[in-house]
Amino acid sequence: ITLYDALMDMQPLSEKLGPVGDHPGLLVPDDAEFTTHSDALTPAFKMTATADSNLRRVDGIDASAGAGEMFLSLTAAPVAFDFNDPDKVKIEGIAAAPTVDMRMAIAELPVKIPACDGGLATCGDNKPDSPVGADYVWSQAPWSFEYIVATAAYAAYSERTFDHCYVNFDPCLAQVSIGGGSDPGGWSVFLTDFMSVKVPPPQFLWELLLDVAQLAVHDFECLDTKDYDNDGNKTEIIACAGPNDAQAANDPDLEIEEGDMRPVFALKGVPIGFTAEEMIAQIRPTLQSQADKIADVILGNYWTTNARLDFYYRRAADGGTPYLFFVGPDDKRPHPDDPTQLAAYDYAKPGFFADAGLTDKLSSTSIDGVADTEHEKYRLPEGESTIFMQDDAGDTYQLRFTVPPGADPVEIVVRVDKM
């Protein structure tokens, strides 16, 4: 579940958790009769976040165009969020006990699933974690009606034991034993000496219950209504198994074909299971894990107004010594024809040189005490100095600097001449 889902009152879940391929989905897609909805976010919902900027503005020179400025990001994300800090990120307007309306459906398989009744030696290991064969229930899709019914029955009766004689003679003439003797729990054995009575073969109780359920959901041979309190108003539909009901016999629409049974449950006001405080506690780490992505969405295009500088002047670290920086491959410079795209890094000889032939390099990517190793850097001396560089068009320029005295000069003059 995303923040977008929450802001849209969970309505997108009807599609996101709806049918996909062979999976019938967890939710039924919305239509004119029902809309998935949550009251988790009230009209007063508000999230206020205070972030720390990772951007630094620098002044520099595009040798072919003149002075300009650009923003640099000191990390991959232009701003830093701390969603786990309640003072920096405040979340308000979440319902104290939020609920959701959703509509679910259960679909049956296209064919009836047989019970594994080939005897204990064959079916004794047929369990959810050790399916036997491909035809029985534990090899079917876990979201199917059949698997769900069998799972519920297995959870209730996996350890079931029972033994009862229904016609008590010596010996017993009709008996049911479940998990008796050395049989595993739930293994059901039906015994009778009456030739006219047909009993199920030995099988697990949950497979027997699944067999009954598969028949019951399609049993519309007999429909009747009953006025159970004789007031003429309250009635209930009685489904029975008799061949004499003319209504069912003459109305094929009452029959559901195998594979077409799909009960739909519209559930309204279902508690989400979390209080507002618990939801916020779970929201914070999730947002924090996406902090860089959120920062990129908010300010990821900060560089579109950058000048296409060739070099700039900045401190190598906060409070540290200022250096002349030649632009690096990761400095974001917009394309001259489309500022939404980045310009290619086409410098053949990046850096600063002592000669116009660009053979005597003055700058270096590695300087003692400076963490940056990406950029060519040069410490300008006091007074006047002349150095050379080549831009991304392959043109060579002479740079004449005037640096005032002092350890921290703030006004530096440079004259740029194309060679």
Side-chain angles (χ1 to χ4, degrees):
I1 297 177
T2 66
L3 182 59
Y4 175 79
D5 296 327
L7 292 172
M8 298 297 289
D9 294 328
M10 303 298 182
Q11 191 279 328
L13 294 185
S14 68
E15 296 298 331
K16 180 185 295 187
L17 302 181
V20 178
D22 294 333
H23 197 300
L26 300 177
L27 299 183
V28 179
D30 291 348
D31 53 29
E33 298 180 357
F34 188 92
T35 300
T36 304
H37 176 79
S38 174
D39 62 358
L41 302 188
T42 71
F45 174 76
K46 178 173 63 175
M47 184 169 67
T48 306
T50 301
D52 296 324
S53 175
N54 291 323
L55 298 180
R56 297 292 184 270
R57 186 185 68 82
V58 295
D59 293 317
I61 299 293
D62 177 352
S64 63
E69 62 182 32
M70 67 188 302
F71 283 94
L72 310 173
S73 181
L74 305 184
T75 66
V79 292
F81 289 101
D82 187 355
F83 289 99
N84 292 317
D85 187 339
D87 293 327
K88 288 190 173 182
V89 179
K90 301 181 185 296
I91 303 175
E92 307 171 69
I94 295 181
T99 64
V100 63
D101 297 346
M102 65 180 76
R103 192 168 52 168
M104 306 178 71
I106 300 176
E108 69 171 341
L109 297 169
V111 296
K112 185 177 180 296
I113 301 303
C116 187
D117 57 10
L120 193 57
T122 300
C123 303
D125 292 331
N126 191 30
K127 302 286 183 66
D129 57 351
S130 58
V132 171
D135 296 331
Y136 305 122
V137 64
W138 303 125
S139 299
Q140 310 308 316
W143 55 79
S144 64
F145 164 79
E146 291 82 355
Y147 197 98
I148 292 171
V149 170
T151 299
Y154 177 80
Y157 300 113
S158 61
E159 302 298 327
R160 179 67 165 166
T161 59
F162 175 82
D163 187 60
H164 186 71
C165 177
Y166 288 92
V167 182
N168 192 9
F169 282 88
D170 188 15
C172 179
L173 300 181
Q175 181 180 5
V176 176
S177 173
I178 302 175
S182 61
D183 293 344
W187 184 258
S188 305
V189 178
F190 303 83
L191 301 173
T192 181
D193 284 348
F194 295 102
M195 300 298 293
S196 60
V197 177
K198 183 178 180 181
V199 297
Q203 58 191 278
F204 279 118
L205 180 57
W206 42 90
E207 303 226 23
L208 174 63
L209 295 177
L210 172 60
D211 210 27
V212 172
Q214 291 182 95
L215 291 173
V217 296
H218 294 282
D219 181 12
F220 290 95
E221 289 185 355
C222 174
L223 292 178
D224 197 3
T225 59
K226 176 184 177 184
D227 181 5
Y228 60 87
D229 63 358
N230 299 316
D231 64 358
N233 295 315
K234 297 180 180 179
T235 60
E236 62 179 347
I237 296 177
I238 308 299
C240 51
N244 299 322
D245 191 283
Q247 179 185 5
N250 296 324
D251 191 350
D253 292 337
L254 293 176
E255 296 293 335
I256 299 178
E257 296 295 329
E258 190 71 43
D260 291 343
M261 192 277 300
R262 188 171 181 265
V264 176
F265 308 91
L267 310 174
K268 295 189 175 183
V270 178
I272 288 179
F274 298 101
T275 64
E277 291 75 15
E278 291 170 336
M279 288 187 67
I280 292 172
Q282 294 207 21
I283 288 172
R284 289 189 182 280
T286 301
L287 289 176
Q288 188 61 40
S289 69
Q290 302 172 350
D292 287 356
K293 183 180 294 186
I294 294 171
D296 189 63
V297 170
I298 294 174
L299 205 60
N301 62 347
Y302 68 89
W303 49 268
T304 57
T305 58
N306 280 352
R308 296 181 63 252
L309 303 182
D310 295 309
F311 62 89
Y312 51 84
Y313 193 66
R314 61 160 290 200
R315 300 181 190 278
D318 289 346
T321 303
Y323 287 84
L324 196 65
F325 275 64
F326 201 91
V327 293
D330 290 336
D331 291 333
K332 297 185 182 299
R333 304 160 62 245
H335 193 280
D337 299 326
D338 183 0
T340 65
Q341 302 297 317
L342 289 171
Y345 191 79
D346 292 331
Y347 292 93
K349 302 195 74 171
F352 304 103
F353 298 82
D355 63 310
L358 307 178
T359 60
D360 184 8
K361 182 179 285 189
L362 299 172
S363 60
S364 174
T365 56
S366 298
I367 297 177
D368 290 343
V370 177
D372 177 87
T373 57
E374 175 191 343
H375 299 83
E376 293 281 347
K377 298 172 287 295
Y378 177 62
R379 171 69 166 155
L380 290 170
E382 291 184 6
E384 294 187 355
S385 59
T386 300
I387 61 177
F388 299 87
M389 58 149 284
Q390 186 183 84
D391 71 359
D392 53 350
D395 296 323
T396 301
Y397 292 84
Q398 175 182 272
L399 312 173
R400 289 185 289 179
F401 288 93
T402 301
V403 180
D408 193 12
V410 293
E411 290 188 7
I412 298 174
V413 178
V414 57
R415 178 171 176 173
V416 180
D417 295 301
K418 186 177 181 180
M419 300 296 293

